[in-house]
Amino acid sequence: MTTKLRNLFAIGASAMLLAACQGQDASDTGSSTPADDTTTPDTEETAEFKLGMVTDEGGVDDRSFNQSAWEGMQAWADENGYGADAVDYFQSNDAQDFVPNLNQAIQAEFDIIYGVGFQLAEAVEDVASSNPNQHFGIIDSVVEADNVISLNFRDNEAAYLVGVAAAHTTETNKVGFIGGIAGPVIDKFEAGFVEGVKSVDPAIEVEVRYAESFSDAAIGQQIAAGMYSAGADIIYHASGAVGNGVFTEAADLMESGSEEQLWVIGVDRDQEELGEYSGGNLTLTSSLKGVGAAIQLASNEARDEGFQGGENLIYGLAEDGVGVTEGNMSEEAWTAVQEAMESIISGDIEVPETPGE
């Protein structure tokens, strides 16, 4: 299965053009607003296979993790010529919404229901055990059940590469990492980033902070303000919508005439658009995660060949499951990143998954 991911980001690229404009949350028992159609009534097919997703906190318009998954599902419906009713999402404002949203999705009779994010693992496991005939997917965790497929990523490999980029770019020799909620998944981002920075120059200081949220942009802005004022000139965030606050703070400081060139490193999808300010763009690069494309591929296989419950599919650089954008890197930094990528794929560099490993 993983060999099919060689062109993962190419498969998912069209998803970036689709807007998030559909869905329900746990408090909404009515029908959702249809997504914009790119097909005409004469060519649109009635979907014989339907996908639902339950978001992690942060919402489907978090410009990061949830949004990339939803864009992938919209692209899947569009590329198969299905109507808007082929896909839908159920938005979670917090963990209490997970089970109600999963149950709503079951009632809507989707062929596969994806729980987007490791925080949904327990809810998916519980609901799946009570509904053995319903197929589920879990992103960024493993649920060992015959009716659940698990999709995971070597985020530490992409994080290592943006760490290399940060080390070749910093002018202050101090950079920052802001994580969302601490745990095995975000650990991989932290571990890879720190290792990538230190591989270039062990003397560079890396400040690590956690927001304990994936949705509170104000906390992200507050933490970023402290890091920049303490001398960091680059911040990598792995924090969902919290990262929107990081971009806001960097842009505000640059607009106010910062003496240092400040940068933000995006996560999960190309976040260059978030770095726009009057003087240019402050997104150095973004680590990419092919969540939407992986959902597309797993769903197509389930539809065409049968659902492969119990599988844990893991996607890294070798499978084009994670990656980085060139962004606004210098030629020197981009060359170093490409060399590091080749070394990871060849096995010459083994990136840790746990901080301090």
Side-chain angles (χ1 to χ4, degrees):
M1 172 68 179
T2 54
T3 58
K4 298 180 182 179
L5 295 174
R6 178 56 55 186
N7 298 312
L8 189 65
F9 291 114
I11 291 171
S14 61
M16 303 298 291
L17 303 177
L18 298 172
C21 53
Q22 181 179 1
Q24 305 174 40
D25 61 33
S27 61
D28 180 9
T29 57
S31 60
S32 60
T33 302
D36 291 339
D37 259 335
T38 56
T39 55
T40 66
D42 292 335
T43 60
E44 183 180 289
E45 297 181 7
T46 300
E48 297 180 356
F49 200 86
K50 298 182 178 183
L51 307 180
M53 69 174 257
V54 174
T55 74
D56 200 345
E57 66 173 80
V60 78
D61 56 352
D62 63 357
R63 301 181 181 181
S64 185
F65 184 60
N66 289 310
Q67 186 167 333
S68 64
W70 176 235
E71 287 171 338
M73 288 180 60
Q74 289 181 290
W76 175 86
D78 181 62
E79 290 168 6
N80 283 283
Y82 294 151
D85 64 345
V87 294
D88 203 354
Y89 70 84
F90 300 80
Q91 184 156 303
S92 305
N93 297 317
D94 54 45
Q96 294 181 349
D97 293 337
F98 295 161
V99 170
N101 278 339
L102 287 166
N103 284 327
Q104 280 197 63
I106 291 171
Q107 293 300 313
E109 298 184 344
F110 292 101
D111 291 273
I112 306 177
I113 301 167
Y114 289 94
V116 182
F118 69 91
Q119 292 193 100
L120 281 97
E122 183 176 350
V124 168
E125 184 174 13
D126 290 345
V127 173
S129 66
S130 301
N131 298 272
N133 295 322
Q134 172 67 57
H135 294 156
F136 296 89
I138 182 70
I139 311 296
D140 274 349
S141 190
V142 177
V143 173
E144 296 181 353
D146 291 341
N147 59 333
V148 181
I149 189 168
S150 302
L151 307 179
N152 287 279
F153 299 82
R154 296 188 181 94
D155 302 298
N156 51 316
E157 295 181 346
Y160 182 98
L161 298 181
V162 299
V164 170
H168 279 276
T169 305
T170 181
E171 297 290 336
T172 64
N173 276 354
K174 184 172 183 178
V175 300
F177 172 83
I178 298 176
I181 296 176
V185 173
I186 307 304
D187 277 355
K188 290 191 290 186
F189 288 93
E190 178 190 339
F193 180 67
V194 173
E195 188 73 9
V197 171
K198 298 298 184 180
S199 72
V200 177
D201 185 352
I204 296 175
E205 182 181 349
V206 183
E207 182 180 357
V208 175
R209 294 281 303 278
Y210 278 81
E212 293 307 324
S213 171
F214 287 114
S215 59
D216 193 337
I219 290 178
Q221 184 168 1
Q222 178 182 341
I223 296 174
M227 286 185 170
Y228 286 131
S229 66
D233 59 351
I234 303 171
I235 296 175
Y236 175 40
H237 87 91
S239 57
V242 169
N244 296 335
V246 180
F247 279 99
T248 296
E249 181 62 21
D252 286 351
L253 291 171
M254 291 299 292
E255 296 283 7
S256 299
S258 171
E259 294 182 1
E260 301 289 346
Q261 168 64 59
L262 304 180
W263 298 101
V264 181
I265 297 175
V267 73
D268 292 340
R269 63 197 293 271
D270 186 350
Q271 294 191 314
E272 183 157 1
E273 65 189 48
L274 298 184
E276 295 288 344
Y277 74 104
S278 62
N281 191 291
L282 52 77
T283 304
L284 178 62
T285 177
S286 299
S287 64
L288 302 176
K289 182 170 183 169
V291 178
I295 287 175
Q296 290 175 259
L297 290 169
S299 301
N300 284 338
E301 182 174 82
R303 180 195 59 196
D304 300 337
E305 303 174 23
F307 184 77
Q308 300 297 312
E311 284 195 10
N312 176 28
L313 306 179
I314 304 174
Y315 314 137
L317 286 174
E319 298 82 24
D320 283 348
V322 299
V324 295
T325 63
E326 183 174 358
N328 292 292
M329 288 187 231
S330 66
E331 183 177 349
E332 174 197 359
W334 180 235
T335 298
V337 165
Q338 291 177 303
E339 291 173 352
M341 183 185 302
E342 293 174 0
S343 294
I344 292 171
I345 292 173
S346 69
D348 290 338
I349 294 176
E350 185 173 344
V351 184
E353 296 187 0
T354 304
E357 182 179 322

